[in-house]
Amino acid sequence: MPCTFPQGPSPALPLPPRPHSLLVPLQGHGPPCAEPNISGENVGCTSQVWGWDYNSELLGSESQAFSTTLQMALEQKVFGQHLATQVVLKALSMHSRHKQPRKPLVMSFHGWPGTGKTFVSKIIARNLYQHHEARRRFVHQYDAVLHFPHAEHIKQYKEQLQNWIRGNVSVCPRSLFIFSEMDQMPHGLIDSIMPYLSHREAINGVYYGKAIFLFLNNAGGDKITEVALDHWRRQKGREEIPLTDLQSILSAEIFNNRNSGFWNSKLIQKNLVDYFIPFLPLEYKHVKECIQEEVRYQGHQEDEDLIIKIALAMSDYPSEDRIYSSKGCKTVASKVNLAT
């Protein structure tokens, strides 16, 4: 079944842009579904259209290779997020091992801006699909502000969103869907995809169990920071923060928060979100690591005094203690640009 882009609302209504992925062509058939080529071995079908090989399944050594590669990427590139990286690695590793998962993997990332939610989602995409063209076709990014800007058009958005997901999964069951700015999502919109996230064998011949859904949300960030700050004031390390406590807090917080995108959401009522993943506020030492990485990326020599100066300036919360960066590492690149 080819994936066709939905017709959407009538021309009289402003249409949202297409999601940031190359959706399957309007006419004709797209290439075969690309399973992640983890091992580099030619064990799956070959696309004559695009000219690279795919794994038809993630089995045995391929699944283990994926987990190992993902673990290395998370450990080396993500700073200060031990809770998030542990859960992400475990969830993806378990999901990839199954030929027929009982339901799609659904993870909701929460935390202040700049704490790594988008960055981790990119690491997941790059490790699932190592070839750029595969990522372009099978990783689908939706920005609530860009793609769903008008709450009064929610009916049309629901139809479009359902068509986008159904069409893309019909072409590639292991599609990755990333929803950013969830706190800007029109109320009730995300519930339109509830049937695709449930425990079902197939819907109208389309099986959704291999798909992965990531929701990126600033909502809940203040609660996470409260817990982290309380541990710091009690002279406890952030490594001692219990994950289960934070997940329970997040679930309740976003369900009752009008600005979370999940307010009174059936996805939460039906327990369809598998993991609520907290991204902790970044401390001075984590921001410093971000700056060092950015300095190297921009090709500058490391100037320890400069790095310390930028990191101290970015550590601004709370005002009396200046433990955390309220912007995380979000503005690090511009700070380094100005200072070098």
Side-chain angles (χ1 to χ4, degrees), residues 95-144:
H95 191 256
S96 69
R97 290 192 192 113
H98 296 286
K99 287 185 180 181
Q100 295 285 112
R102 287 180 292 179
K103 69 179 292 293
L105 175 60
V106 184
M107 296 188 285
S108 190
F109 294 177
H110 298 269
W112 275 356
T115 50
K117 301 184 298 294
T118 300
F119 188 57
V120 169
S121 73
K122 289 180 179 179
I123 289 176
I124 292 171
R126 288 171 185 156
N127 279 270
L128 276 174
Y129 289 108
Q130 296 183 354
H131 196 289
H132 172 73
E133 193 63 41
R135 287 197 301 274
R136 228 165 64 88
R137 294 195 62 83
F138 306 119
V139 177
H140 310 286
Q141 300 182 25
Y142 305 85
D143 184 299

Side-chain angles (χ1 to χ4, degrees), residues 242-313:
L243 175 63
T244 52
D245 289 359
L246 277 176
Q247 289 181 322
S248 298
I249 290 170
L250 284 175
S251 176
E253 167 68 13
I254 66 171
F255 182 77
N256 295 305
N257 185 344
R258 289 176 175 267
N259 299 314
S260 71
F262 286 109
W263 180 47
N264 289 337
S265 172
K266 293 179 182 177
L267 299 190
I268 298 178
Q269 288 179 327
K270 300 291 186 180
N271 297 311
L272 298 180
V273 178
D274 300 302
Y275 302 95
F276 295 95
I277 301 181
F279 282 69
L280 300 172
L282 297 183
E283 299 176 4
Y284 162 81
K285 61 182 179 181
H286 308 126
V287 176
K288 187 179 175 184
E289 289 178 302
C290 290
I291 298 167
Q292 290 171 328
E293 188 71 18
E294 183 62 29
V295 167
R296 288 192 288 266
Y297 176 78
Q298 292 189 17
H300 304 300
Q301 281 192 328
E302 290 191 38
D303 182 333
E304 185 68 12
D305 292 337
L306 179 63
I307 292 171
I308 290 174
K309 181 180 178 181
I310 297 174
L312 286 172

